[in-house]
Amino acid sequence: MNTKKIILVDDDEDILGLLQIIFAEKGFEVKTAAGGEQLFQIRGTFVPDAILLDMMMPKMSGEAVLQKIREDRAYDKIKIFFLSVLILPEDQLDTFQKKYKVSGYFNKPFIKNELINNILNALG
Amino acid sequence: MSELEYSNRLKDLFTSIMDHDIKNYLTSILGYSTLLSHSSSGDAQTYSRIIEENAKKINDLITDVRTFSQIQDADLAKKMAAQDLSRLVKPVVDELKSKAEKKQIELKLDIPPGRYRFDGLSLISEVFRNLVDNAIKYSGRGAPVEIYAEDRGDKFVFCVKDQGAGVPAAYKETIFNRFERLDYHIKEGIEGSGLGLAIARALTALHHGKIWVEDNPTGGAIFKVELPRSRA
């Protein structure tokens, strides 16, 4: 099995550290970014299978990052997941996921195994 | 803003704090607790520290929210009493000394007793605590923080000078505005954390004073609070 690669994006340092441990434990090759700008820098040299994005970040919101990602065809094969404190009503969530082709939306606080298993399943 | 609008905005603000900040802190607490149960002793120390820090952040937020609610209490104006700046600031500095020492930061306090008197609430100590606490938080190791006051005729200015990264021009105004910029907060996330500076501005206004930030000419920031002296 190939090693899965993921970029984790969150402005909260503790949460970023936590996610890094969890994904590394499952054998992922992990890069972390404190925000959108850093993500696009990393993306220049590291092609991930998945990106896990926080929704509410200063400077560039998760949605703004996602819009930029979807403008670039090079990201088409990369699966995008969201991690957010925002609980979206089901219809809004559905529209949002379809609009941006989002592969999964998880709420904070998250359950470790649920998060990692869902992402692993989506990556196949 | 009418009283009803104000109270609705306040309710929205508290809801957004519960939604965003507290959930983020809980994410760390719950996540690291899960890791803790099957980790080596070295990792366990780090995880415990992160759990403790995030739990403290929730506690501080609840304290902040309580302070903010107290400011809304209409009877507060009647509770104003004669205050001496030095007597309010000294306990704050004493309390934060150990936190500063952890970063080898010297808190240089130079406010003579009896020189700066004003009519106010003892709650205004929260403003001084917030500014000194921020200065420690944003200062590098070993960089001293100066706490002093300046005479301005029938007013005086309380100052906290640090040698940290300073406040970029674009944020000099907005860092005090978390309350007014609620929409921004919900859509874009937060610049900085906590309600401290928004509370500081509200409390200062209640005392007919003002608060702002200037650049420290040698690098860093100087936060200033101007208050009217008592007339007696």
Side-chain angles (χ1 to χ4, degrees):
Chain A
M1 198 179 96
N2 292 334
T3 307
K4 302 281 183 212
K5 295 179 187 171
I6 191 164
I7 304 180
L8 309 167
V9 192
D10 200 308
D11 62 309
D12 185 309
E13 203 183 324
D14 289 340
I15 294 177
L16 205 55
L18 173 67
L19 292 168
Q20 186 170 23
I21 295 168
I22 292 173
F23 281 91
E25 244 179 16
K26 284 279 173 184
F28 276 79
E29 189 176 338
V30 181
K31 298 267 186 216
T32 58
E37 286 164 21
Q38 218 184 333
L39 165 71
F40 292 114
Q41 279 172 13
I42 293 172
R43 173 65 184 79
T45 53
F46 181 83
V47 183
D49 301 292
I51 295 174
L52 180 61
L53 266 177
D54 177 30
M55 179 75 104
M56 288 158 78
M57 295 183 290
K59 290 187 193 153
M60 202 172 182
S61 72
E63 193 169 351
V65 174
L66 193 55
Q67 272 168 0
K68 205 174 158 189
I69 285 177
R70 285 299 172 232
E71 283 165 12
D72 187 347
R73 299 302 303 269
Y75 284 91
D76 276 3
K77 285 188 180 160
I78 301 171
K79 293 219 159 51
I80 309 293
F81 300 90
F82 262 93
L83 184 59
S84 177
V85 295
L86 277 184
I87 299 171
L88 293 180
E90 213 161 299
D91 53 332
Q92 271 186 43
L93 180 63
D94 203 42
T95 316
F96 177 78
Q97 286 191 282
K98 281 188 184 137
K99 183 178 172 191
Y100 294 114
K101 289 183 251 158
V102 172
S103 305
Y105 188 100
F106 308 99
N107 281 119
K108 286 180 188 172
F110 56 84
I111 295 165
K112 184 184 148 195
N113 289 341
E114 200 178 292
L115 174 75
I116 202 108
N117 291 339
N118 274 306
I119 291 182
L120 278 171
N121 283 342
L123 292 178
Chain B
M1 213 187 289
S2 77
E3 211 164 286
L4 185 66
E5 275 174 332
Y6 193 76
S7 106
N8 277 338
R9 305 261 307 174
L10 197 66
K11 203 181 85 206
D12 289 349
L13 175 76
F14 292 167
T15 310
S16 85
I17 291 167
M18 298 300 272
D19 263 2
H20 185 273
D21 304 39
I22 292 186
K23 277 199 176 178
N24 263 331
Y25 301 147
L26 280 173
T27 302
S28 284
I29 291 172
L30 296 171
Y32 283 101
S33 303
T34 310
L35 295 182
L36 199 56
S37 55
H38 51 87
S39 54
S40 70
S41 62
D43 288 341
Q45 255 183 6
T46 310
Y47 302 161
S48 308
R49 183 183 49 78
I50 295 172
I51 291 168
E52 192 187 332
E53 280 170 6
N54 281 277
K56 273 186 188 155
K57 283 182 197 168
I58 294 179
N59 186 48
D60 287 349
L61 256 183
I62 292 169
T63 309
D64 280 355
V65 168
R66 197 190 314 123
T67 309
F68 215 118
S69 324
Q70 276 178 291
I71 301 171
Q72 312 311 312
D73 178 355
D75 287 338
L76 272 183
K78 291 179 201 154
K79 294 179 190 157
M80 297 269 182
Q83 308 285 357
D84 175 3
L85 181 69
S86 165
R87 292 185 72 140
L88 289 177
V89 175
K90 187 150 186 319
V92 169
V93 171
D94 287 343
E95 184 194 316
L96 291 170
K97 208 167 254 172
S98 66
K99 188 171 180 178
E101 278 166 3
K102 280 185 192 159
K103 288 175 78 176
Q104 285 148 14
I105 289 170
E106 186 191 352
L107 299 179
K108 295 181 174 173
L109 174 61
D110 181 18
I111 297 178
R115 183 155 166 184
Y116 305 101
R117 294 183 186 277
F118 64 103
D119 292 317
L121 305 165
S122 49
L123 190 63
I124 196 146
S125 289
E126 292 302 320
V127 178
F128 311 140
R129 183 193 324 278
N130 181 266
L131 296 184
V132 177
D133 192 36
N134 274 350
I136 297 168
K137 209 182 289 174
Y138 296 110
S139 287
R141 259 193 125 61
V145 170
E146 293 169 57
I147 301 139
Y148 56 97
E150 292 168 348
D151 291 291
R152 292 269 164 97
D154 59 351
K155 297 173 181 152
F156 65 86
V157 183
F158 168 80
C159 308
V160 179
K161 185 197 277 191
D162 68 51
Q163 297 176 11
V167 179
Y171 297 123
K172 284 206 165 66
E173 186 57 31
T174 56
I175 48 168
F176 297 102
N177 285 1
R178 184 165 173 194
F179 185 47
E180 284 80 0
R181 301 207 55 186
L182 180 60
D183 300 340
Y184 172 80
H185 163 61
I186 286 175
K187 289 188 188 125
E188 306 290 336
I190 310 171
E191 280 297 339
S193 64
L195 275 170
L197 288 174
I199 290 175
R201 169 174 276 187
L203 266 173
T204 307
L206 196 73
H207 287 75
H208 310 289
K210 54 183 184 177
I211 182 167
W212 69 98
V213 59
E214 294 175 5
D215 291 327
N216 179 353
T218 55
I222 313 173
F223 279 84
K224 298 194 169 184
V225 179
E226 185 184 80
L227 292 170
R229 287 178 192 270
S230 36
R231 299 193 177 176

